[in-house]
Amino acid sequence: MALQPSLSPLIVAGNGNAPHTLEVYLDFVCPYSAKMSRTIDSVITPLISSGGKYDCKVKVIFRPQIQPWHASSMLTHEAALAALRASPDQFWTFSRLLFDHQEEFFDRQCLNLTIQQIRDKLTDLASQVLSPGKVDEFRDLLTMKGTPNGGIPVTDDLKYNLKIARHNSIHVSPTALWNGLVASEVSSSWAEKEWNEFFASKI
């Protein structure tokens, strides 16, 4: 449940001071993760937000889960972390946009594209939700600087999230943790009924 302060926008739903934590490991090019991201917005958030049945009792942390067998997974997660840095209040909006456009970054669609071309596509997508000045910052955060093999400005954030996933032995997406322990019963196919039952049994 640890979360370094600079990554606090990874709390995507609920009250940040809520006593219970639901962590959800999602990959931007995983169809089941996209389904779960929609559930966070349509089902979980109304239940745990102001006026909801579990108001102030649960917060949701989105955990980037890079799946290396998808060639563009790392690049999409870099882009999300760049959006987090450039415009923290638009992080989840951009993340949802990535999920909604994930097919554009599937293996076949990116087969003949260079890394730079994919980053350019991601920047075009970011321009739909970020202001022009923030888009420039976003683009800069995806630009190689320094040593030939030193990565980009958000590489350290990427490493942090990779280490968290490895530390918790997370292998598949989506994976949910409740108060730090894997909740293997959670499914991306759950609707309001199942989430109500889950929260009722845990809180």
Side-chain angles (χ1 to χ4, degrees), residues 22 24 36 174-178 183-190 195 198:
L22 175 67
V24 187
M36 180 68 84
T175 295
L177 277 67
W178 179 259
S184 57
E185 68 270 35
V186 171
S187 169
S188 62
S189 66
W190 278 10
W195 279 108
F198 178 81

Side-chain angles (χ1 to χ4, degrees), residues 83-99:
L84 185 151
R85 286 266 204 103
S87 189
D89 58 328
Q90 294 297 313
F91 165 73
W92 184 240
T93 302
F94 176 65
S95 294
R96 285 287 294 108
L97 192 64
L98 269 176
F99 282 120

Side-chain angles (χ1 to χ4, degrees), residues 92-110:
W92 184 240
T93 302
F94 176 65
S95 294
R96 285 287 294 108
L97 192 64
L98 269 176
F99 282 120
D100 288 344
H101 287 258
Q102 67 174 195
E103 291 186 9
E104 298 172 28
F105 301 97
F106 281 0
D107 295 345
R108 186 173 298 279
Q109 280 70 20
C110 293

Side-chain angles (χ1 to χ4, degrees), residues 53-119:
K53 188 174 181 180
Y54 304 101
D55 180 20
C56 292
K57 295 181 179 179
V58 183
K59 62 180 172 290
V60 178
I61 298 178
F62 164 61
R63 297 288 193 180
Q65 174 65 0
I66 298 163
Q67 303 290 31
W69 48 84
H70 296 308
S72 65
S73 180
M74 182 193 74
L75 299 174
T76 55
H77 284 282
E78 284 177 342
L81 293 169
L84 185 151
R85 286 266 204 103
S87 189
D89 58 328
Q90 294 297 313
F91 165 73
W92 184 240
T93 302
F94 176 65
S95 294
R96 285 287 294 108
L97 192 64
L98 269 176
F99 282 120
D100 288 344
H101 287 258
Q102 67 174 195
E103 291 186 9
E104 298 172 28
F105 301 97
F106 281 0
D107 295 345
R108 186 173 298 279
Q109 280 70 20
C110 293
L111 183 63
N112 296 311
L113 299 180
T114 67
I115 290 174
Q116 187 57 57
Q117 286 173 324
I118 295 171
R119 285 177 173 158

Side-chain angles (χ1 to χ4, degrees), residues 26-194:
L26 305 177
D27 175 32
F28 286 114
V29 289
C30 165
Y32 298 105
S33 292
K35 188 175 182 179
M36 180 68 84
S37 77
R38 291 189 285 272
T39 298
I40 290 172
D41 277 359
S42 64
V43 177
I44 298 175
T45 296
L47 287 172
I48 67 176
S49 295
S50 178
K53 188 174 181 180
Y54 304 101
D55 180 20
C56 292
K57 295 181 179 179
V58 183
K59 62 180 172 290
V60 178
I61 298 178
F62 164 61
R63 297 288 193 180
Q65 174 65 0
I66 298 163
Q67 303 290 31
W69 48 84
H70 296 308
S72 65
S73 180
M74 182 193 74
L75 299 174
T76 55
H77 284 282
E78 284 177 342
L81 293 169
L84 185 151
R85 286 266 204 103
S87 189
D89 58 328
Q90 294 297 313
F91 165 73
W92 184 240
T93 302
F94 176 65
S95 294
R96 285 287 294 108
L97 192 64
L98 269 176
F99 282 120
D100 288 344
H101 287 258
Q102 67 174 195
E103 291 186 9
E104 298 172 28
F105 301 97
F106 281 0
D107 295 345
R108 186 173 298 279
Q109 280 70 20
C110 293
L111 183 63
N112 296 311
L113 299 180
T114 67
I115 290 174
Q116 187 57 57
Q117 286 173 324
I118 295 171
R119 285 177 173 158
D120 288 343
K121 281 171 60 72
L122 290 162
T123 301
D124 289 342
L125 195 64
S127 68
Q128 296 184 28
V129 294
L130 305 185
S131 66
K134 296 300 183 181
V135 171
D136 290 340
E137 185 177 350
F138 175 93
R139 182 183 293 105
D140 187 64
L141 288 165
L142 296 182
T143 301
M144 283 199 67
K145 300 176 181 180
T147 64
N149 203 31
I152 59 176
V154 296
T155 296
D156 284 344
D157 291 343
L158 194 76
K159 289 179 179 179
Y160 169 85
N161 284 287
L162 277 166
K163 289 174 183 177
I164 286 286
R166 290 174 179 173
H167 178 77
N168 287 301
S169 299
I170 306 301
H171 300 290
V172 300
S173 59
T175 295
L177 277 67
W178 179 259
N179 290 336
L181 298 178
V182 173
S184 57
E185 68 270 35
V186 171
S187 169
S188 62
S189 66
W190 278 10
E192 185 172 356
K193 175 181 178 291
E194 289 83 4

